[in-house]
Amino acid sequence: MPKYEEPLFRPPAEAGSLIFQVARGCPHNTCRFCGMYKGVRYALRDPEETLAEFAHTAGLYPEARRIFLADGDVMQLPFATLEAYLTALNSFFPRLNRVNVYANGSSILAKNAEQLAELRRLKLNTLYLGFESGSQKVLDLVSKGEKVDAMVDAVRLAQKCGLRASVMILLGLGGKIYSAEHARLTAAALNRMQPRLLSALRFVEVPGTVMFDGFETLSEYEAVSELRDIVAGLEMTKTVFRANHTSNPVPLEGRLPHNKAELLRTLGSQLESGDLDKNGPGFTPLFL
Ligand code: SF4
């Protein structure tokens, strides 16, 4: 087995992937809403040790087709390192089909189009990007350290180079005060971005998160209402949309634009049902 150091996170879609931890923690680790790597000091794994682990694991799982490279924002590794790791994985795993990673907008834009296309040729496939909000004010308040326009450009460039962007937004990230702005500007930015995969998760306070002054958590009803406003504002041309993470009060999934009216009907029925908590967040999972 590869060597892991806890905590180890991966997107739900990577449940069946072979995982290698090529770095520890997150190189940014500033986001107020994220408790994933708080307390973990960011460090790269030794490249020789990592390559030896690839070779050893290939002997155990020679048929592996999907690989996820952890931890946070692996796209931030220098191009030469990513190229070397992908080249090695291609040679050790003859049936390799795709390699996926977490990425930030700035780390994608630190590579040029030729480099991104070369990484794609080496089977880098899906970039999981936490976009969170299309409101720069909200991003700044939660110390995301990224620009809305840069993340839009990054996704467009990555997709133009053949990579697939799986973009996450966070319902309730602006709290009550910025909810309307968060919904309106997130939909507008997503329309410019046109991600192939879009997931809406709900912000839930977890240990390690300290939100900005004046932040008030949305009630369950308000979170669903915010999602309805975002979906209503989306003009996607070809996007798989999911809001089925355990943090979402109403599990949803559909293709946009095809299922937009249906998604809005479901959200409207939930809002009218009287089942949603209007005074508090309702059921919230213990982790995001
Ligand atoms: S949200 Fe992403 S970039 Fe921000 S601290 Fe968490 S892992 Fe790092």
Side-chain angles (χ1 to χ4, degrees):
M1 281 292 284
K3 194 171 110 189
Y4 299 126
E5 281 187 58
E6 298 287 340
L8 177 69
F9 294 96
R10 53 138 181 91
E14 300 297 328
S17 300
L18 186 56
I19 300 178
F20 291 105
Q21 216 167 11
V22 299
R24 287 283 297 123
C26 166
H28 315 288
N29 222 1
T30 54
C31 305
R32 285 174 173 268
F33 56 87
C34 171
M36 285 166 70
Y37 302 110
K38 296 281 184 281
V40 178
R41 185 189 220 135
Y42 181 69
L44 297 176
R45 282 274 302 282
D46 174 65
E48 274 186 33
E49 183 189 301
T50 306
L51 290 168
E53 187 175 83
F54 291 170
H56 174 71
T57 309
L60 303 172
Y61 303 102
E63 302 294 305
R65 294 171 64 83
R66 291 183 55 139
I67 289 176
F68 180 73
L69 299 180
D71 283 333
D73 195 8
V74 161
M75 197 63 183
Q76 218 231 14
L77 266 59
F79 169 75
T81 308
L82 284 171
E83 185 184 38
Y85 285 171
L86 290 168
T87 302
L89 291 172
N90 276 276
S91 76
F92 293 140
F93 295 91
R95 292 172 62 86
L96 184 65
N97 182 247
R98 53 179 62 177
V99 181
N100 300 336
V101 297
Y102 284 125
N104 271 24
S106 50
S107 62
I108 295 171
L109 290 180
K111 276 88 188 161
N112 62 35
E114 289 71 33
Q115 291 174 329
L116 292 172
E118 176 60 8
L119 297 177
R120 174 69 196 106
R121 193 188 66 75
L122 291 168
K123 301 193 182 150
L124 184 64
N125 188 278
T126 303
L127 306 179
Y128 294 98
L129 181 135
F131 177 51
E132 333 300 3
S133 177
S135 160
Q136 191 62 53
K137 188 182 287 174
V138 170
L139 291 184
D140 292 345
L141 281 168
V142 299
S143 307
K144 176 71 184 171
E146 290 279 317
K147 297 288 180 208
V148 171
D149 290 346
M151 288 193 279
V152 170
D153 289 349
V155 169
R156 290 174 65 92
L157 176 65
Q159 292 188 157
K160 203 168 145 195
C161 295
L163 293 157
R164 198 163 70 136
S166 181
V167 169
M168 289 158 278
I169 57 169
L170 272 180
L171 303 174
L173 193 64
K176 291 183 196 272
I177 189 163
Y178 295 112
S179 179
E181 170 172 332
H182 174 54
R184 181 171 51 84
L185 295 181
T186 299
L190 288 169
N191 291 341
R192 301 202 307 279
M193 185 188 271
Q194 294 293 323
R196 288 287 157 266
L197 300 165
L198 172 63
S199 304
L201 285 73
R202 180 165 58 132
F203 169 68
V204 178
E205 288 186 77
V206 295
T209 58
V210 182
M211 292 301 275
F212 54 87
D213 284 348
F215 179 86
E216 279 184 86
T217 302
L218 295 191
S219 69
E220 187 178 40
Y221 182 91
E222 289 166 330
V224 174
S225 179
E226 186 176 281
L227 177 58
R228 191 222 6 225
D229 292 349
I230 293 173
V231 173
L234 290 178
E235 288 167 18
M236 297 285 122
T237 55
K238 194 181 176 198
T239 295
V240 173
F241 171 74
R242 292 194 182 97
N244 54 7
H245 185 265
T246 51
S247 61
N248 294 101
V250 184
L252 285 181
E253 186 163 355
R255 288 181 182 273
L256 295 171
H258 187 68
N259 301 122
K260 179 173 171 177
E262 196 183 320
L263 292 170
L264 287 172
R265 267 197 303 279
T266 306
L267 288 162
S269 313
Q270 276 296 321
L271 289 166
E272 284 163 20
S273 69
D275 294 342
L276 299 172
D277 185 351
K278 289 190 172 174
N279 301 310
F283 168 77
T284 53
L286 289 174
F287 56 90
L288 257 180

